[in-house]
Amino acid sequence: MPRKSRRPQRWALGIIVTLLALAVFSAHAGWKRLTSYPERPGLGSSEPITLTIPAGASFPRVLELLAEHEVIAPDETQAFKLFVLHRGAAAKVTAGKHEFRGDMTPTQILDELMRRQGVQERRVTIPEGKQSLQIAQIFAEAGLGGSEAELIAAMRDPELLARLEVPAASAEGYLFPDTYKFSTEATATQIVERMIKRHHEVFNEVRRAHGEGARELSDDLGWGDHQIVTMASLIEKETGQAAERPRIASVFINRLKFTSFKPKLLQTDPTIIYGCTVPERKSEACQQFEGRIRRIHLRDPDNAYNTYTHEGLPPGPISNPGRDALEAVLAPEKTRYLYFVARNDGTHQFSKSVQEHEAAVDKYIRGGAKGDGTVQD
C-alpha cells in the first residue's frame, strides 16, 4: 500500500504552532500594556489643571469631569475606569479642589483624586427678616448647600420638616437669622436642619423668659408657637428699629384683641409682597406684581397673604425673625395704639384713632396713601 503523505499534517501543525505563538505574543503584549498602564504618562499638557469634585459626585461623573478638563484622554476613560475599579478606589475619591496635569500617570491621577482634603469652612451671615428664597440665594452664592433649587427643596422637604417639628409646609419663619460657619461640603439638608435647630433653641429661651406673655396670647387669641413666630415675622419686616418692635407688636395685637376694632385687618404691606413673590402658587393679580404694590394687589382676595382682604394673621410667617422680634410678640408694649405710619427716617408715628392717623399721613406722606406711599393705580 502506498504511504500517506505527512505534509498536510505537518502543515496543520505548523499553523497551530504559529497561532499559539501569536496568541502567546498577543497575550504577553496585552498583559504588558495592562501592567504598564498605571505608570504610563498622559499625552496632555504639563500645565496645571484645577478641578473641583462636587460633594456627592458619582464616579461616572468624576470620569466625565476628568475627560472634560483633559486630565485623561476621552478614549482612555474606559481604561482608567477599569484601573480604578481594579484598585477598589471608586468610593475613595474626595470632594473638593484637586490639581492635575495632562501628562500625569493614571496612578498619579488616582492618588490626587484620593488625596484627603483639608476641612474648609465658610462663614455666612443671614440678616434678620430675610425670607426663604433670599436665604437660599445667600447660601448658594457662598458656595454652600448646592444650588438655590436644592436649598429651597430642603426648606420644603416634608420629612425633614416633620422630623424637626416645623408645623408648616415650609421652613419659613424657622430659619434663624445668625452668623453660621459651615463646611464647604455641607449639604442643603444639613444647612436647613442647623438653622431650624438654632431657631428652636432661641425660641425656647425666649418663651421661657416670657411665659406669662405666651399664656396671655394663648388665652386671649388662642395662639400657639406657630402664631407667635408668624407675628414676629411681620414685626421683623415692618421696622429695623429694635426699640420700635414692642410698640409695633402692640398695634397688631390690639387690632386683633380690641372688640371695638373691626374688621380684624392687620393691613401690612409686606404680607402682600410675600404672597406675590414667594409661594409657588400666585394669584392673577400677583402675577402682575412688578415690585410695587398697586390697588389691584390691595384688593386682591386670592392672595392668601393679603392682610387688607383677610382678617387675622396670614397663613404663615413671611420672613425669618430674630430674637428681638420674637421677644416683642411675647412682651409687647402696653398701649392703645391701632395705627402707625412711616416718618421717612426709619421710624414711625403711632396713633390711637383714625383721625390721628389721617393727620399723620397728611404730615408724612404727601400725595400718597396709607402705608409707605408705594400704592399706585
Side-chain angles (χ1 to χ4, degrees):
M1 293 179 62
R3 291 191 305 172
K4 292 182 178 180
S5 173
R6 293 181 178 273
R7 288 183 180 179
Q9 293 178 352
R10 286 197 295 268
W11 181 79
L13 182 61
I15 291 176
I16 292 172
V17 171
T18 301
L19 289 174
L20 286 173
L22 287 173
V24 170
F25 177 79
S26 178
H28 176 72
W31 175 252
K32 187 175 181 180
R33 284 196 302 270
L34 181 63
T35 54
S36 66
Y37 173 76
E39 307 306 326
R40 191 170 68 212
L43 301 177
S45 169
S46 61
E47 294 297 317
I49 301 171
T50 300
L51 173 58
T52 299
I53 304 297
S58 65
F59 184 59
R61 178 55 183 154
V62 173
L63 288 174
E64 290 177 1
L65 290 171
L66 292 173
E68 288 172 8
H69 290 77
E70 299 182 352
V71 177
I72 59 176
D75 59 357
E76 291 280 328
T77 301
Q78 190 64 21
F80 186 75
K81 175 182 177 181
L82 293 174
F83 163 65
V84 175
L85 292 177
H86 177 71
R87 293 284 184 92
K92 298 179 182 179
V93 174
T94 59
K97 186 177 291 186
H98 293 273
E99 297 291 337
F100 300 99
R101 299 185 316 277
D103 61 355
M104 291 173 71
T105 67
T107 297
Q108 290 173 327
I109 294 172
L110 181 57
D111 287 345
E112 174 60 24
L113 285 172
M114 295 191 300
R115 180 174 58 80
R116 187 170 182 176
Q117 298 281 318
V119 176
Q120 297 181 14
E121 293 184 324
R122 289 183 187 152
R123 189 184 300 270
V124 176
T125 297
I126 303 300
E128 297 170 339
K130 294 293 183 183
Q131 40 92 333
S132 55
L133 302 188
Q134 294 169 326
I135 291 175
Q137 182 180 11
I138 291 172
F139 276 108
E141 290 179 350
L144 295 170
S147 66
E148 288 183 48
E150 290 174 304
L151 288 155
I152 293 169
M155 294 173 185
R156 296 172 177 172
D157 181 355
E159 292 185 6
L160 178 63
L161 297 175
R163 178 164 61 83
L164 296 175
E165 300 181 342
V166 175
S170 165
E172 195 76 83
Y174 296 85
L175 303 168
F176 193 76
D178 206 343
T179 295
Y180 296 92
K181 186 184 289 184
F182 284 103
S183 162
T184 53
E185 297 182 18
T187 65
T189 296
Q190 290 170 335
I191 289 172
V192 172
E193 180 172 357
R194 183 168 165 193
M195 296 185 77
I196 292 175
K197 287 182 176 179
R198 179 60 178 150
H199 163 86
H200 287 318
E201 178 184 345
V202 174
F203 182 86
N204 290 335
E205 290 176 2
V206 173
R207 202 181 193 286
R208 283 193 297 268
H210 301 283
E212 183 59 31
R215 283 189 290 273
E216 286 184 12
L217 291 172
S218 177
D219 294 341
D220 296 342
L221 297 172
W223 283 6
D225 294 349
H226 188 61
Q227 288 73 29
I228 293 171
V229 173
T230 300
M231 175 57 79
S233 75
L234 271 62
I235 295 166
E236 198 70 84
K237 294 300 293 183
E238 281 290 357
T239 182
Q241 300 290 326
E244 281 195 343
R245 289 180 181 129
R247 188 167 296 180
I248 296 282
S250 76
V251 171
F252 288 145
I253 292 173
N254 288 345
R255 285 189 166 212
L256 299 177
K257 287 174 61 174
F258 288 4
T259 56
S260 59
F261 188 86
K262 294 179 181 179
K264 304 296 185 182
L265 296 171
L266 296 181
Q267 296 180 313
T268 170
D269 293 355
T271 60
I272 294 179
I273 296 171
Y274 183 88
C276 284
T277 55
V278 178
E280 293 181 272
R281 179 192 171 278
K282 299 178 178 62
S283 68
E284 185 176 342
C286 279
Q287 292 174 29
Q288 302 176 48
F289 182 74
E290 297 178 343
R292 294 178 71 85
I293 296 175
R294 297 161 54 198
R295 296 196 186 280
I296 60 169
H297 302 121
L298 289 172
R299 297 168 180 169
D300 181 14
D302 296 327
N303 180 353
Y305 288 84
N306 185 357
T307 51
Y308 284 82
T309 57
H310 298 286
E311 295 186 63
L313 291 171
I318 64 167
S319 73
N320 292 275
R323 183 187 294 268
D324 289 346
L326 292 168
E327 285 187 328
V329 180
L330 293 170
E333 281 190 19
K334 300 300 182 181
T335 76
R336 303 293 295 180
Y337 292 131
L338 289 167
Y339 306 92
F340 60 87
V341 65
R343 290 191 179 119
N344 299 317
D345 64 356
T347 65
H348 294 81
Q349 178 69 37
F350 294 83
S351 305
K352 299 176 183 177
S353 67
V354 174
Q355 292 77 17
E356 289 179 6
H357 179 60
E358 289 180 346
V361 170
D362 288 340
K363 179 177 180 180
Y364 295 107
I365 303 178
R366 301 295 182 184
K370 295 175 185 179
D372 62 2
T374 61
V375 179
Q376 297 181 339
D377 287 324

